[in-house]
Amino acid sequence: MIKPYLMFNRECEEAFKLYIEAFGGELIAMQKYSEIPSSPDFPVEESDKDLVLYSQLRLTKDGIIMGSDSYRELNDSDKVVVSVELRHGTY
C-alpha cells in the first residue's frame, strides 16, 4: 500500500482540519511535539511544542494520508514523501 506523507511548515493541524472539512474522513492520530517525553537527544523548543509530530487521516477504507510539521523551514521539494507498506501474503 502506498501512503502519501505530507510535511508542513508549521501548518499541519490546520491543513488536516481543512482536509477533514473538504473530503470527510476520520482523524486516526495526531500527536504534538509537546506529548513526547523530554530528552536531551531530541530537545524541543518552547515555540515548537504545538507542532504536529505525527498525524494520520483515513479518507477511505484503505486511503490514508499522513503528515507532520517540520521544526525547520522546508523547501517545496521536501514536503512530500511516499510511505510504502508491504504485507506478507499472496497477491
Side-chain angles (χ1 to χ4, degrees), residues 26-74:
E26 172 191 5
L27 186 63
I28 297 170
M30 184 169 286
Q31 182 179 22
K32 304 281 184 94
Y33 280 85
S34 62
E35 297 174 44
I36 60 174
S38 297
S39 168
D41 296 328
F42 190 75
V44 177
E45 299 291 326
E46 192 63 36
S47 60
D48 295 338
K49 289 192 175 194
D50 282 336
L51 296 180
V52 175
L53 178 65
Y54 176 76
S55 59
Q56 193 173 50
L57 175 63
R58 181 181 309 281
L59 296 173
T60 64
K61 180 182 176 223
D62 293 322
I64 291 174
I65 59 173
M66 299 177 292
S68 62
D69 283 316
S70 176
Y71 58 89
R72 62 179 176 82
E73 199 69 20
L74 297 172

mmCIF file of all heavy atoms in Angstrom, residues 26-74:
data_model
loop_
_atom_site.group_PDB
_atom_site.id
_atom_site.type_symbol
_atom_site.label_atom_id
_atom_site.label_comp_id
_atom_site.label_asym_id
_atom_site.label_seq_id
_atom_site.Cartn_x
_atom_site.Cartn_y
_atom_site.Cartn_z
ATOM 1 N N GLU A 26 -11.689 10.356 8.757
ATOM 2 C CA GLU A 26 -11.540 10.207 10.200
ATOM 3 C C GLU A 26 -10.084 10.473 10.593
ATOM 4 O O GLU A 26 -9.167 9.856 10.045
ATOM 5 C CB GLU A 26 -11.917 8.779 10.590
ATOM 6 C CG GLU A 26 -11.642 8.425 12.015
ATOM 7 C CD GLU A 26 -11.789 6.936 12.293
ATOM 8 O OE1 GLU A 26 -12.016 6.136 11.358
ATOM 9 O OE2 GLU A 26 -11.653 6.560 13.469
ATOM 10 N N LEU A 27 -9.907 11.375 11.533
ATOM 11 C CA LEU A 27 -8.575 11.630 12.058
ATOM 12 C C LEU A 27 -8.224 10.466 12.983
ATOM 13 O O LEU A 27 -8.838 10.281 14.024
ATOM 14 C CB LEU A 27 -8.528 12.954 12.818
ATOM 15 C CG LEU A 27 -7.155 13.407 13.286
ATOM 16 C CD1 LEU A 27 -6.234 13.667 12.098
ATOM 17 C CD2 LEU A 27 -7.271 14.640 14.141
ATOM 18 N N ILE A 28 -7.250 9.663 12.592
ATOM 19 C CA ILE A 28 -6.866 8.477 13.353
ATOM 20 C C ILE A 28 -5.876 8.842 14.450
ATOM 21 O O ILE A 28 -5.916 8.295 15.545
ATOM 22 C CB ILE A 28 -6.253 7.417 12.419
ATOM 23 C CG1 ILE A 28 -7.288 6.966 11.402
ATOM 24 C CG2 ILE A 28 -5.723 6.229 13.203
ATOM 25 C CD1 ILE A 28 -6.715 6.120 10.296
ATOM 26 N N ALA A 29 -4.969 9.758 14.140
ATOM 27 C CA ALA A 29 -3.928 10.112 15.111
ATOM 28 C C ALA A 29 -3.447 11.529 14.870
ATOM 29 O O ALA A 29 -3.408 11.986 13.726
ATOM 30 C CB ALA A 29 -2.747 9.151 15.004
ATOM 31 N N MET A 30 -3.123 12.219 15.952
ATOM 32 C CA MET A 30 -2.422 13.498 15.865
ATOM 33 C C MET A 30 -1.667 13.675 17.180
ATOM 34 O O MET A 30 -2.270 13.834 18.231
ATOM 35 C CB MET A 30 -3.345 14.669 15.615
ATOM 36 C CG MET A 30 -2.561 15.974 15.442
ATOM 37 S SD MET A 30 -3.524 17.370 14.845
ATOM 38 C CE MET A 30 -3.738 16.937 13.129
ATOM 39 N N GLN A 31 -0.363 13.598 17.085
ATOM 40 C CA GLN A 31 0.486 13.736 18.258
ATOM 41 C C GLN A 31 1.336 14.990 18.098
ATOM 42 O O GLN A 31 1.918 15.226 17.051
ATOM 43 C CB GLN A 31 1.394 12.518 18.413
ATOM 44 C CG GLN A 31 2.262 12.578 19.642
ATOM 45 C CD GLN A 31 3.142 11.345 19.794
ATOM 46 O OE1 GLN A 31 3.418 10.634 18.843
ATOM 47 N NE2 GLN A 31 3.586 11.105 21.003
ATOM 48 N N LYS A 32 1.386 15.779 19.160
ATOM 49 C CA LYS A 32 2.167 17.025 19.148
ATOM 50 C C LYS A 32 3.551 16.769 19.735
ATOM 51 O O LYS A 32 3.755 15.837 20.503
ATOM 52 C CB LYS A 32 1.453 18.089 19.982
ATOM 53 C CG LYS A 32 0.021 18.394 19.565
ATOM 54 C CD LYS A 32 0.004 19.304 18.371
ATOM 55 C CE LYS A 32 -1.406 19.710 17.996
ATOM 56 N NZ LYS A 32 -1.851 20.940 18.555
ATOM 57 N N TYR A 33 4.486 17.628 19.392
ATOM 58 C CA TYR A 33 5.832 17.547 19.959
ATOM 59 C C TYR A 33 5.788 17.634 21.487
ATOM 60 O O TYR A 33 6.601 17.017 22.167
ATOM 61 C CB TYR A 33 6.718 18.663 19.408
ATOM 62 C CG TYR A 33 7.273 18.388 18.032
ATOM 63 C CD1 TYR A 33 6.548 18.672 16.888
ATOM 64 C CD2 TYR A 33 8.546 17.859 17.873
ATOM 65 C CE1 TYR A 33 7.072 18.436 15.623
ATOM 66 C CE2 TYR A 33 9.082 17.613 16.622
ATOM 67 C CZ TYR A 33 8.342 17.904 15.493
ATOM 68 O OH TYR A 33 8.862 17.657 14.253
ATOM 69 N N SER A 34 4.828 18.370 22.024
ATOM 70 C CA SER A 34 4.721 18.521 23.481
ATOM 71 C C SER A 34 4.351 17.221 24.182
ATOM 72 O O SER A 34 4.518 17.091 25.392
ATOM 73 C CB SER A 34 3.693 19.593 23.825
ATOM 74 O OG SER A 34 2.412 19.219 23.345
ATOM 75 N N GLU A 35 3.840 16.252 23.451
ATOM 76 C CA GLU A 35 3.389 14.989 24.039
ATOM 77 C C GLU A 35 4.493 13.941 24.160
ATOM 78 O O GLU A 35 4.266 12.890 24.757
ATOM 79 C CB GLU A 35 2.239 14.419 23.206
ATOM 80 C CG GLU A 35 1.016 15.319 23.203
ATOM 81 C CD GLU A 35 -0.059 14.813 22.260
ATOM 82 O OE1 GLU A 35 -0.321 13.597 22.252
ATOM 83 O OE2 GLU A 35 -0.616 15.633 21.522
ATOM 84 N N ILE A 36 5.662 14.214 23.604
ATOM 85 C CA ILE A 36 6.738 13.239 23.720
ATOM 86 C C ILE A 36 7.562 13.537 24.970
ATOM 87 O O ILE A 36 7.666 14.691 25.397
ATOM 88 C CB ILE A 36 7.637 13.208 22.463
ATOM 89 C CG1 ILE A 36 8.299 14.565 22.207
ATOM 90 C CG2 ILE A 36 6.853 12.754 21.255
ATOM 91 C CD1 ILE A 36 9.310 14.551 21.075
ATOM 92 N N PRO A 37 8.129 12.513 25.578
ATOM 93 C CA PRO A 37 8.943 12.735 26.784
ATOM 94 C C PRO A 37 10.160 13.610 26.471
ATOM 95 O O PRO A 37 10.739 13.521 25.388
ATOM 96 C CB PRO A 37 9.387 11.331 27.191
ATOM 97 C CG PRO A 37 8.463 10.400 26.493
ATOM 98 C CD PRO A 37 8.005 11.102 25.247
ATOM 99 N N SER A 38 10.532 14.445 27.410
ATOM 100 C CA SER A 38 11.713 15.287 27.258
ATOM 101 C C SER A 38 12.956 14.416 27.139
ATOM 102 O O SER A 38 13.071 13.395 27.814
ATOM 103 C CB SER A 38 11.882 16.212 28.454
ATOM 104 O OG SER A 38 10.795 17.081 28.543
ATOM 105 N N SER A 39 13.860 14.843 26.245
ATOM 106 C CA SER A 39 15.098 14.102 26.060
ATOM 107 C C SER A 39 16.197 15.054 25.599
ATOM 108 O O SER A 39 15.964 15.863 24.702
ATOM 109 C CB SER A 39 14.905 13.003 25.010
ATOM 110 O OG SER A 39 16.150 12.466 24.624
ATOM 111 N N PRO A 40 17.381 14.951 26.177
ATOM 112 C CA PRO A 40 18.495 15.786 25.708
ATOM 113 C C PRO A 40 18.901 15.430 24.276
ATOM 114 O O PRO A 40 19.484 16.244 23.576
ATOM 115 C CB PRO A 40 19.619 15.494 26.700
ATOM 116 C CG PRO A 40 19.239 14.262 27.423
ATOM 117 C CD PRO A 40 17.755 14.114 27.309
ATOM 118 N N ASP A 41 18.560 14.223 23.838
ATOM 119 C CA ASP A 41 18.885 13.804 22.471
ATOM 120 C C ASP A 41 17.940 14.408 21.439
ATOM 121 O O ASP A 41 18.251 14.440 20.248
ATOM 122 C CB ASP A 41 18.842 12.282 22.354
ATOM 123 C CG ASP A 41 19.886 11.604 23.209
ATOM 124 O OD1 ASP A 41 20.969 12.193 23.408
ATOM 125 O OD2 ASP A 41 19.617 10.493 23.695
ATOM 126 N N PHE A 42 16.766 14.845 21.886
ATOM 127 C CA PHE A 42 15.775 15.442 20.983
ATOM 128 C C PHE A 42 15.115 16.622 21.687
ATOM 129 O O PHE A 42 13.961 16.542 22.110
ATOM 130 C CB PHE A 42 14.731 14.394 20.580
ATOM 131 C CG PHE A 42 13.820 14.844 19.484
ATOM 132 C CD1 PHE A 42 14.256 14.907 18.169
ATOM 133 C CD2 PHE A 42 12.520 15.211 19.756
ATOM 134 C CE1 PHE A 42 13.408 15.325 17.157
ATOM 135 C CE2 PHE A 42 11.654 15.633 18.755
ATOM 136 C CZ PHE A 42 12.112 15.686 17.437
ATOM 137 N N PRO A 43 15.859 17.712 21.838
ATOM 138 C CA PRO A 43 15.283 18.870 22.538
ATOM 139 C C PRO A 43 14.186 19.535 21.697
ATOM 140 O O PRO A 43 14.289 19.612 20.472
ATOM 141 C CB PRO A 43 16.484 19.802 22.714
ATOM 142 C CG PRO A 43 17.422 19.421 21.630
ATOM 143 C CD PRO A 43 17.216 17.949 21.377
ATOM 144 N N VAL A 44 13.132 19.970 22.352
ATOM 145 C CA VAL A 44 12.026 20.655 21.683
ATOM 146 C C VAL A 44 11.942 22.070 22.241
ATOM 147 O O VAL A 44 11.743 22.251 23.446
ATOM 148 C CB VAL A 44 10.686 19.907 21.903
ATOM 149 C CG1 VAL A 44 9.540 20.663 21.255
ATOM 150 C CG2 VAL A 44 10.778 18.484 21.365
ATOM 151 N N GLU A 45 12.091 23.034 21.358
ATOM 152 C CA GLU A 45 11.982 24.437 21.762
ATOM 153 C C GLU A 45 10.548 24.729 22.188
ATOM 154 O O GLU A 45 9.598 24.127 21.684
ATOM 155 C CB GLU A 45 12.368 25.356 20.602
ATOM 156 C CG GLU A 45 13.784 25.199 20.111
ATOM 157 C CD GLU A 45 14.810 25.680 21.116
ATOM 158 O OE1 GLU A 45 14.515 26.648 21.844
ATOM 159 O OE2 GLU A 45 15.892 25.078 21.172
ATOM 160 N N GLU A 46 10.378 25.658 23.095
ATOM 161 C CA GLU A 46 9.038 26.035 23.571
ATOM 162 C C GLU A 46 8.141 26.447 22.403
ATOM 163 O O GLU A 46 6.966 26.108 22.357
ATOM 164 C CB GLU A 46 9.164 27.169 24.595
ATOM 165 C CG GLU A 46 7.896 27.438 25.367
ATOM 166 C CD GLU A 46 7.436 26.271 26.236
ATOM 167 O OE1 GLU A 46 8.282 25.564 26.809
ATOM 168 O OE2 GLU A 46 6.212 26.071 26.330
ATOM 169 N N SER A 47 8.699 27.153 21.435
ATOM 170 C CA SER A 47 7.929 27.630 20.280
ATOM 171 C C SER A 47 7.504 26.495 19.345
ATOM 172 O O SER A 47 6.655 26.698 18.476
ATOM 173 C CB SER A 47 8.737 28.654 19.487
ATOM 174 O OG SER A 47 9.938 28.064 19.013
ATOM 175 N N ASP A 48 8.076 25.299 19.521
ATOM 176 C CA ASP A 48 7.754 24.160 18.653
ATOM 177 C C ASP A 48 6.824 23.139 19.307
ATOM 178 O O ASP A 48 6.425 22.173 18.671
ATOM 179 C CB ASP A 48 9.039 23.446 18.223
ATOM 180 C CG ASP A 48 9.932 24.307 17.355
ATOM 181 O OD1 ASP A 48 9.427 25.261 16.736
ATOM 182 O OD2 ASP A 48 11.139 24.027 17.300
ATOM 183 N N LYS A 49 6.453 23.347 20.548
ATOM 184 C CA LYS A 49 5.688 22.326 21.277
ATOM 185 C C LYS A 49 4.301 22.070 20.715
ATOM 186 O O LYS A 49 3.761 20.989 20.878
ATOM 187 C CB LYS A 49 5.618 22.676 22.759
ATOM 188 C CG LYS A 49 6.960 22.495 23.421
ATOM 189 C CD LYS A 49 6.877 22.537 24.914
ATOM 190 C CE LYS A 49 8.264 22.212 25.450
ATOM 191 N NZ LYS A 49 8.268 21.908 26.839
ATOM 192 N N ASP A 50 3.699 23.052 20.027
ATOM 193 C CA ASP A 50 2.376 22.841 19.438
ATOM 194 C C ASP A 50 2.440 22.294 18.017
ATOM 195 O O ASP A 50 1.404 22.084 17.382
ATOM 196 C CB ASP A 50 1.567 24.136 19.445
ATOM 197 C CG ASP A 50 0.983 24.421 20.823
ATOM 198 O OD1 ASP A 50 0.807 23.472 21.607
ATOM 199 O OD2 ASP A 50 0.702 25.594 21.108
ATOM 200 N N LEU A 51 3.642 22.049 17.509
ATOM 201 C CA LEU A 51 3.771 21.477 16.170
ATOM 202 C C LEU A 51 3.345 20.017 16.187
ATOM 203 O O LEU A 51 3.436 19.332 17.200
ATOM 204 C CB LEU A 51 5.221 21.577 15.683
ATOM 205 C CG LEU A 51 5.775 22.978 15.497
ATOM 206 C CD1 LEU A 51 7.221 22.907 15.015
ATOM 207 C CD2 LEU A 51 4.935 23.779 14.530
ATOM 208 N N VAL A 52 2.875 19.542 15.040
ATOM 209 C CA VAL A 52 2.418 18.166 14.910
ATOM 210 C C VAL A 52 3.611 17.268 14.599
ATOM 211 O O VAL A 52 4.304 17.459 13.597
ATOM 212 C CB VAL A 52 1.346 18.038 13.810
ATOM 213 C CG1 VAL A 52 0.966 16.586 13.584
ATOM 214 C CG2 VAL A 52 0.119 18.862 14.174
ATOM 215 N N LEU A 53 3.850 16.317 15.471
ATOM 216 C CA LEU A 53 4.917 15.339 15.273
ATOM 217 C C LEU A 53 4.468 14.271 14.276
ATOM 218 O O LEU A 53 5.226 13.834 13.423
ATOM 219 C CB LEU A 53 5.284 14.693 16.607
ATOM 220 C CG LEU A 53 6.337 13.607 16.585
ATOM 221 C CD1 LEU A 53 7.687 14.183 16.166
ATOM 222 C CD2 LEU A 53 6.445 12.952 17.952
ATOM 223 N N TYR A 54 3.195 13.860 14.374
ATOM 224 C CA TYR A 54 2.673 12.801 13.515
ATOM 225 C C TYR A 54 1.156 12.904 13.455
ATOM 226 O O TYR A 54 0.508 13.100 14.476
ATOM 227 C CB TYR A 54 3.064 11.427 14.074
ATOM 228 C CG TYR A 54 2.481 10.277 13.309
ATOM 229 C CD1 TYR A 54 3.002 9.901 12.084
ATOM 230 C CD2 TYR A 54 1.378 9.584 13.783
ATOM 231 C CE1 TYR A 54 2.451 8.859 11.359
ATOM 232 C CE2 TYR A 54 0.822 8.535 13.078
ATOM 233 C CZ TYR A 54 1.371 8.177 11.860
ATOM 234 O OH TYR A 54 0.820 7.154 11.141
ATOM 235 N N SER A 55 0.609 12.768 12.260
ATOM 236 C CA SER A 55 -0.848 12.719 12.113
ATOM 237 C C SER A 55 -1.205 11.731 11.016
ATOM 238 O O SER A 55 -0.411 11.462 10.111
ATOM 239 C CB SER A 55 -1.421 14.098 11.797
ATOM 240 O OG SER A 55 -0.854 14.591 10.610
ATOM 241 N N GLN A 56 -2.415 11.205 11.124
ATOM 242 C CA GLN A 56 -2.880 10.229 10.155
ATOM 243 C C GLN A 56 -4.377 10.442 9.955
ATOM 244 O O GLN A 56 -5.142 10.507 10.917
ATOM 245 C CB GLN A 56 -2.594 8.816 10.679
ATOM 246 C CG GLN A 56 -2.743 7.743 9.655
ATOM 247 C CD GLN A 56 -2.293 6.391 10.186
ATOM 248 O OE1 GLN A 56 -2.716 5.978 11.261
ATOM 249 N NE2 GLN A 56 -1.451 5.711 9.448
ATOM 250 N N LEU A 57 -4.782 10.534 8.692
ATOM 251 C CA LEU A 57 -6.179 10.773 8.333
ATOM 252 C C LEU A 57 -6.634 9.688 7.375
ATOM 253 O O LEU A 57 -6.016 9.468 6.327
ATOM 254 C CB LEU A 57 -6.315 12.151 7.669
ATOM 255 C CG LEU A 57 -7.680 12.536 7.114
ATOM 256 C CD1 LEU A 57 -8.727 12.624 8.221
ATOM 257 C CD2 LEU A 57 -7.586 13.859 6.369
ATOM 258 N N ARG A 58 -7.707 8.981 7.762
ATOM 259 C CA ARG A 58 -8.284 7.960 6.886
ATOM 260 C C ARG A 58 -9.356 8.635 6.036
ATOM 261 O O ARG A 58 -10.333 9.176 6.555
ATOM 262 C CB ARG A 58 -8.906 6.830 7.703
ATOM 263 C CG ARG A 58 -9.508 5.725 6.836
ATOM 264 C CD ARG A 58 -10.151 4.614 7.640
ATOM 265 N NE ARG A 58 -9.303 4.077 8.676
ATOM 266 C CZ ARG A 58 -8.316 3.192 8.482
ATOM 267 N NH1 ARG A 58 -8.063 2.763 7.283
ATOM 268 N NH2 ARG A 58 -7.609 2.752 9.501
ATOM 269 N N LEU A 59 -9.175 8.564 4.717
ATOM 270 C CA LEU A 59 -10.136 9.163 3.799
ATOM 271 C C LEU A 59 -11.098 8.125 3.230
ATOM 272 O O LEU A 59 -12.247 8.429 2.943
ATOM 273 C CB LEU A 59 -9.402 9.867 2.654
ATOM 274 C CG LEU A 59 -8.550 11.056 3.082
ATOM 275 C CD1 LEU A 59 -7.732 11.576 1.917
ATOM 276 C CD2 LEU A 59 -9.415 12.157 3.660
ATOM 277 N N THR A 60 -10.611 6.906 3.039
ATOM 278 C CA THR A 60 -11.419 5.783 2.571
ATOM 279 C C THR A 60 -10.979 4.558 3.350
ATOM 280 O O THR A 60 -10.074 4.641 4.183
ATOM 281 C CB THR A 60 -11.220 5.530 1.056
ATOM 282 O OG1 THR A 60 -9.870 5.137 0.825
ATOM 283 C CG2 THR A 60 -11.565 6.756 0.230
ATOM 284 N N LYS A 61 -11.560 3.401 3.040
ATOM 285 C CA LYS A 61 -11.193 2.173 3.759
ATOM 286 C C LYS A 61 -9.680 1.961 3.759
ATOM 287 O O LYS A 61 -9.088 1.662 4.790
ATOM 288 C CB LYS A 61 -11.898 0.977 3.124
ATOM 289 C CG LYS A 61 -11.570 -0.332 3.796
ATOM 290 C CD LYS A 61 -12.263 -1.494 3.106
ATOM 291 C CE LYS A 61 -11.806 -2.784 3.767
ATOM 292 N NZ LYS A 61 -11.519 -3.817 2.820
ATOM 293 N N ASP A 62 -9.052 2.090 2.613
ATOM 294 C CA ASP A 62 -7.607 1.890 2.510
ATOM 295 C C ASP A 62 -6.848 3.173 2.203
ATOM 296 O O ASP A 62 -5.628 3.145 2.078
ATOM 297 C CB ASP A 62 -7.286 0.854 1.428
ATOM 298 C CG ASP A 62 -7.769 -0.538 1.800
ATOM 299 O OD1 ASP A 62 -7.672 -0.886 2.992
ATOM 300 O OD2 ASP A 62 -8.228 -1.266 0.909
ATOM 301 N N GLY A 63 -7.546 4.280 2.062
ATOM 302 C CA GLY A 63 -6.904 5.544 1.697
ATOM 303 C C GLY A 63 -6.519 6.367 2.909
ATOM 304 O O GLY A 63 -7.379 6.907 3.611
ATOM 305 N N ILE A 64 -5.235 6.429 3.175
ATOM 306 C CA ILE A 64 -4.726 7.141 4.347
ATOM 307 C C ILE A 64 -3.670 8.138 3.903
ATOM 308 O O ILE A 64 -2.842 7.836 3.043
ATOM 309 C CB ILE A 64 -4.113 6.153 5.352
ATOM 310 C CG1 ILE A 64 -5.216 5.291 5.971
ATOM 311 C CG2 ILE A 64 -3.344 6.874 6.449
ATOM 312 C CD1 ILE A 64 -4.716 4.184 6.865
ATOM 313 N N ILE A 65 -3.721 9.340 4.477
ATOM 314 C CA ILE A 65 -2.613 10.278 4.311
ATOM 315 C C ILE A 65 -2.034 10.551 5.692
ATOM 316 O O ILE A 65 -2.740 10.514 6.695
ATOM 317 C CB ILE A 65 -3.021 11.599 3.612
ATOM 318 C CG1 ILE A 65 -4.107 12.326 4.386
ATOM 319 C CG2 ILE A 65 -3.441 11.351 2.180
ATOM 320 C CD1 ILE A 65 -4.422 13.705 3.831
ATOM 321 N N MET A 66 -0.739 10.769 5.711
ATOM 322 C CA MET A 66 -0.050 11.053 6.957
ATOM 323 C C MET A 66 0.637 12.398 6.818
ATOM 324 O O MET A 66 0.866 12.882 5.710
ATOM 325 C CB MET A 66 0.981 9.958 7.242
ATOM 326 C CG MET A 66 0.359 8.589 7.390
ATOM 327 S SD MET A 66 1.563 7.266 7.640
ATOM 328 C CE MET A 66 2.375 7.231 6.055
ATOM 329 N N GLY A 67 0.959 13.014 7.942
ATOM 330 C CA GLY A 67 1.635 14.295 7.869
ATOM 331 C C GLY A 67 2.265 14.698 9.178
ATOM 332 O O GLY A 67 1.992 14.100 10.224
ATOM 333 N N SER A 68 3.124 15.708 9.099
ATOM 334 C CA SER A 68 3.748 16.271 10.291
ATOM 335 C C SER A 68 4.315 17.638 9.966
ATOM 336 O O SER A 68 4.455 18.010 8.797
ATOM 337 C CB SER A 68 4.842 15.349 10.830
ATOM 338 O OG SER A 68 5.865 15.191 9.891
ATOM 339 N N ASP A 69 4.597 18.375 11.015
ATOM 340 C CA ASP A 69 5.260 19.668 10.879
ATOM 341 C C ASP A 69 6.757 19.467 10.984
ATOM 342 O O ASP A 69 7.233 18.589 11.709
ATOM 343 C CB ASP A 69 4.840 20.616 12.017
ATOM 344 C CG ASP A 69 3.466 21.198 11.812
ATOM 345 O OD1 ASP A 69 3.148 21.608 10.683
ATOM 346 O OD2 ASP A 69 2.700 21.245 12.789
ATOM 347 N N SER A 70 7.476 20.299 10.293
ATOM 348 C CA SER A 70 8.927 20.307 10.439
ATOM 349 C C SER A 70 9.299 21.432 11.389
ATOM 350 O O SER A 70 8.687 22.499 11.365
ATOM 351 C CB SER A 70 9.591 20.529 9.084
ATOM 352 O OG SER A 70 10.985 20.634 9.246
ATOM 353 N N TYR A 71 10.290 21.187 12.221
ATOM 354 C CA TYR A 71 10.761 22.234 13.129
ATOM 355 C C TYR A 71 11.684 23.208 12.398
ATOM 356 O O TYR A 71 12.061 24.231 12.928
ATOM 357 C CB TYR A 71 11.463 21.623 14.340
ATOM 358 C CG TYR A 71 12.646 20.755 13.994
ATOM 359 C CD1 TYR A 71 13.907 21.306 13.879
ATOM 360 C CD2 TYR A 71 12.485 19.399 13.758
ATOM 361 C CE1 TYR A 71 14.996 20.524 13.531
ATOM 362 C CE2 TYR A 71 13.558 18.616 13.413
ATOM 363 C CZ TYR A 71 14.809 19.178 13.308
ATOM 364 O OH TYR A 71 15.879 18.398 12.952
ATOM 365 N N ARG A 72 12.034 22.868 11.153
ATOM 366 C CA ARG A 72 12.834 23.785 10.337
ATOM 367 C C ARG A 72 12.068 24.068 9.046
ATOM 368 O O ARG A 72 11.194 23.296 8.650
ATOM 369 C CB ARG A 72 14.206 23.191 10.025
ATOM 370 C CG ARG A 72 14.143 21.920 9.227
ATOM 371 C CD ARG A 72 15.535 21.376 8.903
ATOM 372 N NE ARG A 72 15.448 20.110 8.206
ATOM 373 C CZ ARG A 72 15.244 19.975 6.899
ATOM 374 N NH1 ARG A 72 15.110 21.030 6.129
ATOM 375 N NH2 ARG A 72 15.176 18.774 6.367
ATOM 376 N N GLU A 73 12.367 25.156 8.394
ATOM 377 C CA GLU A 73 11.689 25.547 7.152
ATOM 378 C C GLU A 73 12.048 24.568 6.038
ATOM 379 O O GLU A 73 13.220 24.267 5.818
ATOM 380 C CB GLU A 73 12.108 26.965 6.777
ATOM 381 C CG GLU A 73 11.180 27.652 5.827
ATOM 382 C CD GLU A 73 9.819 28.001 6.422
ATOM 383 O OE1 GLU A 73 9.685 28.062 7.651
ATOM 384 O OE2 GLU A 73 8.890 28.197 5.633
ATOM 385 N N LEU A 74 11.039 24.062 5.327
ATOM 386 C CA LEU A 74 11.246 23.102 4.250
ATOM 387 C C LEU A 74 11.072 23.754 2.886
ATOM 388 O O LEU A 74 10.231 24.637 2.723
ATOM 389 C CB LEU A 74 10.243 21.951 4.361
ATOM 390 C CG LEU A 74 10.316 21.073 5.590
ATOM 391 C CD1 LEU A 74 9.126 20.117 5.613
ATOM 392 C CD2 LEU A 74 11.614 20.297 5.613
#
